[in-house]
Each structure stands twice: as structure tokens, then as C-alpha cells.
Short mmCIF file of all heavy atoms in Angstrom, two decimals:
data_model
loop_
_atom_site.label_atom_id
_atom_site.label_comp_id
_atom_site.label_asym_id
_atom_site.label_seq_id
_atom_site.Cartn_x
_atom_site.Cartn_y
_atom_site.Cartn_z
N GLY A 25 88.40 99.54 104.72
CA GLY A 25 88.13 100.95 104.92
C GLY A 25 88.84 101.61 106.08
O GLY A 25 88.67 102.80 106.32
N THR A 26 89.64 100.83 106.80
CA THR A 26 90.39 101.38 107.93
C THR A 26 91.87 101.45 107.58
O THR A 26 92.45 100.46 107.12
CB THR A 26 90.22 100.50 109.19
OG1 THR A 26 88.83 100.46 109.52
CG2 THR A 26 91.01 101.03 110.36
N ILE A 27 92.48 102.60 107.77
CA ILE A 27 93.92 102.74 107.50
C ILE A 27 94.68 102.03 108.61
O ILE A 27 94.54 102.35 109.78
CB ILE A 27 94.34 104.21 107.40
CG1 ILE A 27 93.64 104.86 106.21
CG2 ILE A 27 95.85 104.33 107.27
CD1 ILE A 27 93.82 106.35 106.11
N ILE A 28 95.49 101.06 108.21
CA ILE A 28 96.27 100.26 109.16
C ILE A 28 97.67 100.85 109.33
O ILE A 28 98.21 100.88 110.43
CB ILE A 28 96.39 98.80 108.67
CG1 ILE A 28 95.01 98.19 108.46
CG2 ILE A 28 97.24 97.97 109.61
CD1 ILE A 28 94.12 98.18 109.69
N ALA A 29 98.25 101.33 108.22
CA ALA A 29 99.61 101.87 108.28
C ALA A 29 99.83 102.81 107.10
O ALA A 29 99.22 102.66 106.05
CB ALA A 29 100.64 100.75 108.24
N CYS A 30 100.72 103.77 107.31
CA CYS A 30 101.12 104.69 106.26
C CYS A 30 102.52 105.19 106.59
O CYS A 30 102.79 105.57 107.73
CB CYS A 30 100.14 105.86 106.18
SG CYS A 30 100.54 107.03 104.87
N ALA A 31 103.41 105.17 105.60
CA ALA A 31 104.78 105.63 105.83
C ALA A 31 105.40 106.11 104.53
O ALA A 31 105.14 105.55 103.46
CB ALA A 31 105.63 104.50 106.42
N SER A 32 106.21 107.13 104.63
CA SER A 32 106.97 107.63 103.48
C SER A 32 108.34 106.99 103.47
O SER A 32 108.91 106.70 104.54
CB SER A 32 107.11 109.16 103.56
OG SER A 32 105.84 109.76 103.46
N GLU A 33 108.87 106.80 102.28
CA GLU A 33 110.18 106.15 102.14
C GLU A 33 111.27 106.94 102.85
O GLU A 33 112.22 106.38 103.37
CB GLU A 33 110.51 105.95 100.66
CG GLU A 33 111.71 105.09 100.41
CD GLU A 33 111.54 103.63 100.79
OE1 GLU A 33 110.44 103.19 101.16
OE2 GLU A 33 112.56 102.90 100.71
N GLU A 34 111.13 108.27 102.92
CA GLU A 34 112.15 109.10 103.57
C GLU A 34 112.33 108.74 105.04
O GLU A 34 113.39 108.96 105.61
CB GLU A 34 111.84 110.58 103.42
CG GLU A 34 110.69 111.07 104.26
CD GLU A 34 110.50 112.58 104.18
OE1 GLU A 34 111.03 113.23 103.26
OE2 GLU A 34 109.79 113.11 105.06
N ARG A 35 111.32 108.17 105.64
CA ARG A 35 111.42 107.75 107.04
C ARG A 35 112.51 106.69 107.22
O ARG A 35 113.16 106.63 108.25
CB ARG A 35 110.07 107.19 107.49
CG ARG A 35 110.07 106.62 108.87
CD ARG A 35 108.72 106.08 109.24
NE ARG A 35 108.79 105.52 110.57
CZ ARG A 35 107.91 104.67 111.05
NH1 ARG A 35 106.89 104.30 110.33
NH2 ARG A 35 108.04 104.20 112.27
N PHE A 36 112.69 105.87 106.21
CA PHE A 36 113.64 104.77 106.30
C PHE A 36 115.00 105.12 105.70
O PHE A 36 116.03 104.65 106.17
CB PHE A 36 113.06 103.54 105.61
CG PHE A 36 111.70 103.18 106.15
CD1 PHE A 36 110.55 103.58 105.51
CD2 PHE A 36 111.59 102.47 107.34
CE1 PHE A 36 109.29 103.27 106.03
CE2 PHE A 36 110.35 102.17 107.88
CZ PHE A 36 109.19 102.56 107.22
N THR A 37 115.01 105.95 104.66
CA THR A 37 116.28 106.30 104.00
C THR A 37 116.92 107.55 104.60
O THR A 37 118.10 107.79 104.38
CB THR A 37 116.06 106.54 102.50
OG1 THR A 37 115.21 107.69 102.32
CG2 THR A 37 115.47 105.32 101.81
N ARG A 38 116.12 108.35 105.28
CA ARG A 38 116.58 109.62 105.86
C ARG A 38 116.96 110.63 104.78
O ARG A 38 117.71 111.56 105.03
CB ARG A 38 117.74 109.43 106.83
CG ARG A 38 117.42 108.52 107.98
CD ARG A 38 116.39 109.16 108.88
NE ARG A 38 116.20 108.36 110.08
CZ ARG A 38 115.04 108.17 110.66
NH1 ARG A 38 113.97 108.70 110.15
NH2 ARG A 38 114.95 107.44 111.74
N ASN A 39 116.43 110.45 103.55
CA ASN A 39 116.63 111.41 102.46
C ASN A 39 115.35 112.21 102.30
O ASN A 39 114.31 111.67 101.91
CB ASN A 39 116.94 110.68 101.14
CG ASN A 39 118.25 109.97 101.18
OD1 ASN A 39 119.20 110.43 101.79
ND2 ASN A 39 118.32 108.81 100.54
N LYS A 40 115.40 113.49 102.62
CA LYS A 40 114.23 114.36 102.56
C LYS A 40 113.57 114.30 101.19
O LYS A 40 114.25 114.38 100.16
CB LYS A 40 114.66 115.80 102.88
CG LYS A 40 113.53 116.77 102.97
CD LYS A 40 112.81 116.60 104.27
CE LYS A 40 111.80 117.72 104.43
NZ LYS A 40 110.81 117.43 105.41
N ASN A 41 112.24 114.13 101.16
CA ASN A 41 111.46 114.04 99.93
C ASN A 41 111.96 112.96 98.98
O ASN A 41 111.98 113.14 97.76
CB ASN A 41 111.40 115.39 99.22
CG ASN A 41 110.67 116.43 100.01
OD1 ASN A 41 109.64 116.14 100.62
ND2 ASN A 41 111.19 117.64 100.04
N ASP A 42 112.36 111.83 99.53
CA ASP A 42 112.90 110.72 98.74
C ASP A 42 111.94 110.33 97.62
O ASP A 42 110.75 110.15 97.85
CB ASP A 42 113.16 109.52 99.65
CG ASP A 42 114.10 108.50 99.03
OD1 ASP A 42 114.17 108.44 97.79
OD2 ASP A 42 114.75 107.78 99.80
N MET A 43 112.46 110.21 96.40
CA MET A 43 111.66 109.84 95.24
C MET A 43 111.87 108.38 94.83
O MET A 43 111.33 107.94 93.82
CB MET A 43 111.99 110.76 94.06
CG MET A 43 111.57 112.20 94.29
SD MET A 43 111.97 113.29 92.92
CE MET A 43 110.89 112.67 91.66
N ALA A 44 112.63 107.63 95.62
CA ALA A 44 112.89 106.23 95.30
C ALA A 44 111.62 105.40 95.45
O ALA A 44 110.69 105.78 96.16
CB ALA A 44 113.97 105.68 96.21
N TYR A 45 111.58 104.26 94.77
CA TYR A 45 110.45 103.34 94.93
C TYR A 45 110.31 103.02 96.42
O TYR A 45 111.30 102.71 97.08
CB TYR A 45 110.71 102.06 94.12
CG TYR A 45 109.60 101.07 94.20
CD1 TYR A 45 108.43 101.27 93.47
CD2 TYR A 45 109.69 99.96 95.02
CE1 TYR A 45 107.38 100.38 93.56
CE2 TYR A 45 108.65 99.06 95.11
CZ TYR A 45 107.50 99.27 94.37
OH TYR A 45 106.47 98.38 94.47
N PRO A 46 109.10 103.05 96.97
CA PRO A 46 108.92 102.93 98.43
C PRO A 46 108.98 101.49 98.96
O PRO A 46 108.09 101.03 99.67
CB PRO A 46 107.54 103.55 98.65
CG PRO A 46 106.81 103.26 97.39
CD PRO A 46 107.85 103.38 96.30
N LYS A 47 110.04 100.79 98.65
CA LYS A 47 110.19 99.38 99.06
C LYS A 47 110.09 99.21 100.58
O LYS A 47 109.34 98.37 101.07
CB LYS A 47 111.52 98.83 98.56
CG LYS A 47 111.78 97.39 98.94
CD LYS A 47 113.15 96.94 98.42
CE LYS A 47 113.43 95.49 98.66
NZ LYS A 47 113.36 95.03 100.02
N ARG A 48 110.84 100.00 101.32
CA ARG A 48 110.83 99.86 102.78
C ARG A 48 109.50 100.29 103.38
O ARG A 48 109.02 99.69 104.34
CB ARG A 48 111.98 100.66 103.38
CG ARG A 48 113.35 100.09 103.03
CD ARG A 48 114.45 101.06 103.51
NE ARG A 48 115.72 100.78 102.88
CZ ARG A 48 116.14 101.31 101.73
NH1 ARG A 48 115.37 102.17 101.08
NH2 ARG A 48 117.31 101.01 101.23
N ALA A 49 108.88 101.30 102.80
CA ALA A 49 107.58 101.75 103.28
C ALA A 49 106.51 100.67 103.04
O ALA A 49 105.66 100.43 103.89
CB ALA A 49 107.19 103.06 102.59
N ILE A 50 106.59 100.00 101.90
CA ILE A 50 105.67 98.89 101.61
C ILE A 50 105.87 97.76 102.61
O ILE A 50 104.91 97.23 103.18
CB ILE A 50 105.87 98.38 100.17
CG1 ILE A 50 105.41 99.44 99.16
CG2 ILE A 50 105.11 97.06 99.95
CD1 ILE A 50 105.82 99.15 97.73
N GLU A 51 107.12 97.40 102.83
CA GLU A 51 107.41 96.32 103.78
C GLU A 51 106.88 96.67 105.17
O GLU A 51 106.32 95.81 105.86
CB GLU A 51 108.92 96.06 103.83
CG GLU A 51 109.46 95.44 102.57
CD GLU A 51 110.98 95.42 102.50
OE1 GLU A 51 111.64 96.10 103.32
OE2 GLU A 51 111.51 94.74 101.60
N TYR A 52 107.04 97.92 105.57
CA TYR A 52 106.55 98.37 106.87
C TYR A 52 105.02 98.21 106.95
O TYR A 52 104.49 97.69 107.94
CB TYR A 52 106.94 99.84 107.08
CG TYR A 52 106.27 100.48 108.26
CD1 TYR A 52 106.76 100.30 109.55
CD2 TYR A 52 105.14 101.27 108.09
CE1 TYR A 52 106.15 100.90 110.64
CE2 TYR A 52 104.52 101.87 109.17
CZ TYR A 52 105.02 101.68 110.44
OH TYR A 52 104.41 102.26 111.52
N CYS A 53 104.32 98.66 105.93
CA CYS A 53 102.85 98.58 105.93
C CYS A 53 102.37 97.14 105.97
O CYS A 53 101.44 96.81 106.73
CB CYS A 53 102.29 99.30 104.72
SG CYS A 53 102.47 101.10 104.77
N LEU A 54 102.99 96.28 105.18
CA LEU A 54 102.58 94.88 105.18
C LEU A 54 102.85 94.23 106.53
O LEU A 54 102.04 93.45 107.03
CB LEU A 54 103.30 94.12 104.06
CG LEU A 54 102.94 94.54 102.64
CD1 LEU A 54 103.77 93.76 101.63
CD2 LEU A 54 101.46 94.37 102.37
N GLU A 55 103.97 94.57 107.13
CA GLU A 55 104.31 94.04 108.46
C GLU A 55 103.29 94.50 109.50
O GLU A 55 102.83 93.70 110.32
CB GLU A 55 105.71 94.47 108.85
CG GLU A 55 106.15 93.94 110.21
CD GLU A 55 107.55 94.40 110.58
OE1 GLU A 55 108.44 94.38 109.70
OE2 GLU A 55 107.73 94.80 111.75
N LYS A 56 102.94 95.78 109.47
CA LYS A 56 101.96 96.31 110.43
C LYS A 56 100.59 95.65 110.25
O LYS A 56 99.86 95.46 111.22
CB LYS A 56 101.81 97.82 110.29
CG LYS A 56 102.98 98.58 110.84
CD LYS A 56 103.07 98.41 112.34
CE LYS A 56 104.27 99.10 112.91
NZ LYS A 56 104.45 98.85 114.32
N GLY A 57 100.26 95.31 109.01
CA GLY A 57 98.99 94.64 108.74
C GLY A 57 99.05 93.14 108.91
O GLY A 57 98.05 92.46 108.77
N ASN A 58 100.25 92.63 109.19
CA ASN A 58 100.47 91.19 109.36
C ASN A 58 99.99 90.41 108.15
O ASN A 58 99.30 89.39 108.29
CB ASN A 58 99.78 90.70 110.65
CG ASN A 58 100.31 89.36 111.08
OD1 ASN A 58 101.47 89.02 110.82
ND2 ASN A 58 99.48 88.57 111.74
N ILE A 59 100.34 90.92 106.94
CA ILE A 59 99.97 90.25 105.70
C ILE A 59 101.16 90.19 104.76
O ILE A 59 102.16 90.89 104.95
CB ILE A 59 98.78 90.95 105.01
CG1 ILE A 59 99.16 92.37 104.56
CG2 ILE A 59 97.55 90.95 105.89
CD1 ILE A 59 98.10 93.01 103.70
N ASN A 60 101.02 89.37 103.72
CA ASN A 60 102.00 89.27 102.64
C ASN A 60 101.46 89.99 101.42
O ASN A 60 100.25 90.22 101.31
CB ASN A 60 102.25 87.80 102.27
CG ASN A 60 102.85 87.03 103.40
OD1 ASN A 60 103.82 87.47 104.01
ND2 ASN A 60 102.28 85.88 103.70
N GLY A 61 102.32 90.28 100.49
CA GLY A 61 101.89 90.92 99.26
C GLY A 61 100.83 90.11 98.52
O GLY A 61 99.93 90.67 97.90
N SER A 62 100.91 88.80 98.61
CA SER A 62 99.94 87.94 97.93
C SER A 62 98.55 88.01 98.56
O SER A 62 97.56 87.58 97.96
CB SER A 62 100.43 86.49 97.91
OG SER A 62 100.57 86.01 99.24
N ASP A 63 98.44 88.59 99.76
CA ASP A 63 97.16 88.75 100.44
C ASP A 63 96.39 89.98 99.96
O ASP A 63 95.21 90.13 100.26
CB ASP A 63 97.36 88.87 101.96
CG ASP A 63 97.95 87.62 102.58
OD1 ASP A 63 97.64 86.51 102.10
OD2 ASP A 63 98.72 87.76 103.55
N LEU A 64 97.06 90.87 99.22
CA LEU A 64 96.44 92.12 98.78
C LEU A 64 95.39 91.86 97.71
O LEU A 64 95.57 91.01 96.84
CB LEU A 64 97.50 93.08 98.24
CG LEU A 64 98.52 93.59 99.24
CD1 LEU A 64 99.65 94.31 98.52
CD2 LEU A 64 97.85 94.49 100.26
N ASP A 65 94.31 92.63 97.76
CA ASP A 65 93.28 92.57 96.73
C ASP A 65 93.53 93.59 95.63
O ASP A 65 93.21 93.35 94.47
CB ASP A 65 91.90 92.83 97.36
CG ASP A 65 91.53 91.75 98.35
OD1 ASP A 65 91.39 90.59 97.93
OD2 ASP A 65 91.40 92.06 99.55
N VAL A 66 94.08 94.74 96.02
CA VAL A 66 94.28 95.83 95.07
C VAL A 66 95.55 96.58 95.44
O VAL A 66 95.86 96.75 96.61
CB VAL A 66 93.10 96.83 95.12
CG1 VAL A 66 93.35 98.03 94.24
CG2 VAL A 66 91.80 96.16 94.74
N VAL A 67 96.28 97.03 94.41
CA VAL A 67 97.36 97.99 94.60
C VAL A 67 96.98 99.22 93.78
O VAL A 67 96.81 99.13 92.56
CB VAL A 67 98.73 97.44 94.14
CG1 VAL A 67 99.80 98.51 94.26
CG2 VAL A 67 99.11 96.20 94.94
N ALA A 68 96.79 100.35 94.46
CA ALA A 68 96.41 101.59 93.81
C ALA A 68 97.63 102.50 93.77
O ALA A 68 98.29 102.71 94.78
CB ALA A 68 95.28 102.26 94.57
N ILE A 69 97.92 103.04 92.57
CA ILE A 69 99.11 103.88 92.40
C ILE A 69 98.69 105.28 91.98
O ILE A 69 97.95 105.46 91.02
CB ILE A 69 100.06 103.29 91.34
CG1 ILE A 69 100.51 101.89 91.76
CG2 ILE A 69 101.26 104.20 91.12
CD1 ILE A 69 101.31 101.16 90.71
N ALA A 70 99.17 106.26 92.73
CA ALA A 70 98.96 107.67 92.39
C ALA A 70 100.30 108.24 91.95
O ALA A 70 101.29 108.09 92.66
CB ALA A 70 98.43 108.43 93.59
#
């Protein structure tokens, strides 16, 4: 229930309103949480 990290892909690509899959943003969030993708319980997509 606590937000650990949040980032938009444009932060990493420097493309305003980037619509690319947020690969770098995901990597950033997992790194900040000190976890791997396999540690996740849920992936919610909007």
C-alpha cells in the first residue's frame, strides 16, 4: 500500500509524452524497490 517508485518512460528517453513500452521505467521501479520481476505479486495495466 505504499508507493515506492513511479516514473514515466519519457524521463529516460527524453521524448515528450513517450508512448513506448515503459521498459526503463519498470527497471527503475524494480531497482528502487530492490526486487526482481519474479518477486511481484501483481502487474496491473491501465
Side-chain angles (χ1 to χ4, degrees):
T26 300
I27 296 172
I28 303 301
C30 181
S32 296
E33 190 67 7
E34 72 175 16
R35 175 180 179 199
F36 306 97
T37 64
R38 302 292 188 219
N39 294 325
K40 185 76 172 162
N41 295 320
D42 197 334
M43 293 179 67
Y45 181 76
K47 180 181 185 303
R48 293 172 197 89
I50 292 169
E51 291 169 348
Y52 169 82
C53 290
L54 295 177
E55 181 180 317
K56 287 294 177 185
N58 197 29
I59 64 171
N60 296 312
S62 62
D63 296 326
L64 294 169
D65 296 297
V66 175
V67 175
I69 300 173

